[in-house]
Amino acid sequence: MSSILIVTLEMEEVYQRHFTDLRGKYFPAHANYLDAHITLFHHLPAGESEITTALEKAAQRKPVTLKVAGIVHFGNGVAYRLESEELQLLHVSLQQAFEPWLIRQDKQTLRPHITVQNKVTNFKAQQLHEALSQDFTPFDIKTTGLKTWRYLHGPWKAEKMFPFITL
C-alpha cells in the first residue's frame, strides 16, 4: 500500500503560533508531536497526480476567513470550533475531486476545528473547557493555503504547500 497523505488548511502565522502554544500547554507531552492544524482530509493516497492537480486548482482563490466560533469539549479533549461557509464549499468541491480515494471519515460533512488538548481524562478536559470558555470571544482568522503531509504512523512530514492567491 502506498503511503498516506493528509490535507490541512494552513492559517496565518500569528494564529498558528497561538494554537500551537496552547497545544504545548495543554496536550500531554508524550502524545504531542504535531503543531496545531486544521485537517481537511485524513487519508488520501500519496503519489496520485489528480490529487495534486485538484489542490493546485483549489488554491487559485483568495484566502478563506474562518470564525473561531466556540470551544468544544469532546470527551477526552478540547478543540476550538471553526465556522466558514466558504470552507464548507471548498471542502465539498475537493470531496468531489477526491471521490475515488475517500475513506468514510473523509466523505462526511466537515466539522472544522483546532484541537488543543486530547488523550486526557474526561474530567481534565472538562476543566480546561470551562477555563477556556470563561472569557472566550469569537474571532476571525485568515488562512494561507492548503498543505499536504505524509503520515508517519504518529508524526507527520510536510510535503507540499498550495498557497492561496493574495491580492
Side-chain angles (χ1 to χ4, degrees):
M1 181 180 167
S2 65
S3 59
I4 297 169
L5 207 59
I6 299 164
V7 178
T8 61
L9 180 66
E10 296 298 291
M11 60 191 116
E12 287 180 309
E13 183 61 31
V14 64
Y15 297 110
Q16 180 66 50
R17 275 196 311 273
H18 170 71
F19 289 112
T20 295
D21 288 348
L22 289 174
R23 278 179 72 96
K25 187 173 182 181
Y26 299 119
F27 216 100
H30 73 276
N32 188 21
Y33 35 72
L34 299 173
D35 286 344
H37 54 278
I38 304 166
T39 305
L40 300 182
F41 294 93
H42 300 83
H43 193 285
L44 293 169
E48 289 289 341
S49 63
E50 292 174 52
I51 291 172
T52 301
T53 301
L55 291 169
E56 288 170 345
K57 182 180 177 188
Q60 299 304 306
R61 56 162 297 125
K62 67 179 181 59
V64 176
T65 299
L66 305 174
K67 176 178 284 306
V68 181
I71 302 169
V72 181
H73 171 223
F74 59 86
N76 295 338
V78 174
Y80 284 81
R81 181 174 48 84
L82 307 173
E83 294 178 354
S84 169
E85 189 173 322
E86 279 182 278
L87 176 57
Q88 293 296 340
L89 294 172
L90 175 61
H91 188 258
V92 166
S93 170
L94 287 170
Q95 281 177 315
Q96 291 167 352
F98 300 159
E99 201 283 324
W101 304 286
L102 293 180
I103 62 168
R104 186 170 166 220
Q105 181 180 22
D106 289 336
K107 290 180 179 182
Q108 297 175 359
T109 301
L110 180 66
R111 296 191 197 313
H113 62 278
I114 302 168
T115 302
V116 294
Q117 182 184 62
N118 201 358
K119 301 176 183 1
V120 299
T121 64
N122 187 27
F123 177 75
K124 192 169 186 174
Q126 182 62 40
Q127 285 183 311
L128 178 62
H129 178 260
E130 289 171 9
L132 293 176
S133 296
Q134 281 181 348
D135 60 357
F136 175 77
T137 302
F139 59 98
D140 289 346
I141 63 174
K142 289 242 188 303
T143 59
T144 58
L146 304 166
K147 191 169 186 177
T148 56
W149 302 82
R150 194 154 314 229
Y151 177 66
L152 303 174
H153 303 283
W156 300 358
K157 179 182 180 226
E159 288 285 310
K160 186 167 182 185
M161 179 71 181
F162 301 87
F164 291 139
I165 298 169
T166 54
L167 304 173

